[in-house]
Amino acid sequence: MSAVMDAAHQAEADEAESGAHPIFAGAPRSVEFNKLRKRLIRNTREALDRFAMVRAGEKWLVALSGGKDSYGMLALLLDLKWRGLLPVELLVCNLDQGQPNFPKHILPEFLGGLGIPHRIEYKDTYSIVTDKLPAGATYCSLCSRLRRGNLYRIAREEGCTALVLGHHRDDSLETFFMNLFHGGKLAAMPPRLLNDEGDIEVLRPLIYCAEDDLQRFSDAMAFPIIPCDLCGSQDGLERNAMKAMLADIEKRMPGRKDVMIRALGNVNPSHMLDPKLFDFAGLFERRTGL
């Protein structure tokens, strides 16, 4: 029997004994952690339900970068699946993009030890990015596009209908303000969208989850974090400025981030300035009854 199968059987035994998915085997038993876990589960379920993400029997490709957000998302999805609340098949995927000093052993050991179905894909997009962009340029945008294209390909190869990403509430708010300040438009990260080819959905089940909660959850779970500075990620990005601005607002007025994320789902088109969303020209006809 293979080491992976041994690990899978041991994981099943641990799950049966503990009453929880084995990813939670070392989790704290404190009241504080249980409250945090329940809050994240509640927020995730709200997103799954409100945006109709789940269709029973489908297969999802869960992107795992090795950061706190994707680890947290994986644990929450496994928790929901163990509880019988997520009737889909999960396949975890990490795309090794060839960054220098990437610790290749961490994710296979973590996932294999827990018996979690996974695929590790090597694709050297790092060399493409460094070849296309000058030294000192920001890699994140091109790197992200190349990563997404490969994940779509893997999803098709594995028969998955959806690619699941770990973007959270703060990511969506930062994107909204970046578009507002720099793009001159009102747009955020959507919880659910269809790719250009029309065959793969992108799902963001953490869209209501706070980044601070995910950080505390990750710390408590002691995930083997792979830092996002392996490619020399640059500071001073526009997103960092939005993050700092939102942190300052939250410090001055606690709870504003939750209010803002709810506002993105409570749009009144007649009180905006976009005639494509509301028929301002038709007001005269409605007023006169013509």
Side-chain angles (χ1 to χ4, degrees):
M1 184 179 293
S2 70
V4 172
M5 289 301 296
D6 285 340
H9 289 161
Q10 183 59 50
E12 291 174 359
D14 291 344
E15 178 178 343
E17 181 177 346
S18 66
H21 190 278
I23 199 171
F24 289 96
R29 299 292 186 260
S30 67
V31 172
E32 181 180 3
F33 177 78
N34 287 336
K35 287 181 178 179
L36 173 63
R37 178 177 171 181
K38 288 179 180 178
R39 181 165 62 250
L40 287 169
I41 285 289
R42 182 174 64 250
N43 290 338
T44 303
R45 287 190 68 188
E46 180 180 359
L48 292 171
D49 293 343
R50 184 173 188 185
F51 302 109
M53 296 184 187
V54 180
R55 289 182 296 277
E58 291 196 343
K59 185 177 181 181
W60 290 0
L61 189 73
V62 180
L64 182 66
S65 67
K68 71 180 190 312
D69 304 327
S70 59
Y71 271 124
M73 176 180 68
L74 174 60
L76 294 169
L77 294 179
L78 290 172
D79 199 358
L80 287 169
K81 187 171 175 60
W82 175 80
R83 296 166 188 257
L85 300 173
L86 187 62
V88 299
E89 182 181 351
L90 302 177
L91 175 65
V92 178
C93 179
N94 172 255
L95 184 65
D96 177 353
Q97 295 179 261
Q99 297 101 326
N101 303 315
F102 184 80
K104 297 177 181 294
H105 64 287
I106 289 180
L107 293 175
E109 290 178 0
F110 176 80
L111 296 168
L114 293 171
I116 298 172
H118 62 279
R119 172 173 170 175
I120 307 295
E121 179 86 359
Y122 177 78
K123 194 71 174 180
D124 184 8
T125 62
Y126 175 78
S127 295
I128 298 175
V129 171
T130 54
D131 180 64
K132 296 290 185 184
L133 297 178
T138 300
Y139 298 160
C140 300
S141 180
L142 178 57
C143 181
S144 177
R145 290 198 299 272
L146 292 172
R147 179 171 63 250
R148 185 73 61 88
N150 278 286
L151 288 172
Y152 285 153
R153 170 183 58 80
I154 295 167
R156 294 186 188 100
E157 292 173 358
E158 296 290 348
C160 297
T161 56
L163 169 63
V164 192
L165 303 177
H167 296 126
H168 46 67
R169 178 199 70 181
D170 299 60
D171 288 324
S172 190
L173 291 176
E174 289 159 16
T175 299
F176 174 80
F177 282 104
M178 287 172 66
N179 284 322
L180 177 66
F181 292 159
H182 301 287
K185 61 181 179 181
L186 298 180
M189 278 184 176
R192 179 181 175 187
L193 63 85
L194 193 63
N195 69 340
D196 292 339
E197 292 77 11
D199 63 336
I200 303 293
E201 285 192 39
V202 175
L203 305 178
R204 295 184 172 101
L206 302 188
I207 204 70
Y208 289 134
C209 295
E211 183 174 16
D212 287 346
D213 280 349
L214 290 166
Q215 183 65 68
R216 286 192 289 270
F217 185 71
S218 175
D219 292 343
M221 293 286 288
F223 294 130
I225 299 296
I226 300 174
C228 190
D229 58 0
L230 298 167
C231 60
S233 298
Q234 301 84 356
D235 292 328
L237 305 179
E238 291 176 355
R239 183 170 293 276
N240 289 344
M242 298 302 103
K243 184 183 291 290
M245 182 194 73
L246 287 165
D248 182 64
I249 292 173
E250 186 71 14
K251 181 178 179 181
R252 295 171 183 269
M253 296 178 287
R256 292 313 95 184
K257 287 183 181 180
D258 277 337
V259 172
M260 284 188 276
I261 199 68
R262 300 297 171 181
L264 294 181
N266 188 25
V267 179
N268 189 341
S270 68
H271 286 57
M272 303 300 286
L273 310 181
D274 191 343
K276 298 189 297 297
L277 297 180
F278 185 79
D279 183 16
F280 293 99
L283 283 176
F284 177 76
E285 286 78 6
R286 290 199 293 275
R287 178 170 62 86
T288 60
L290 297 178

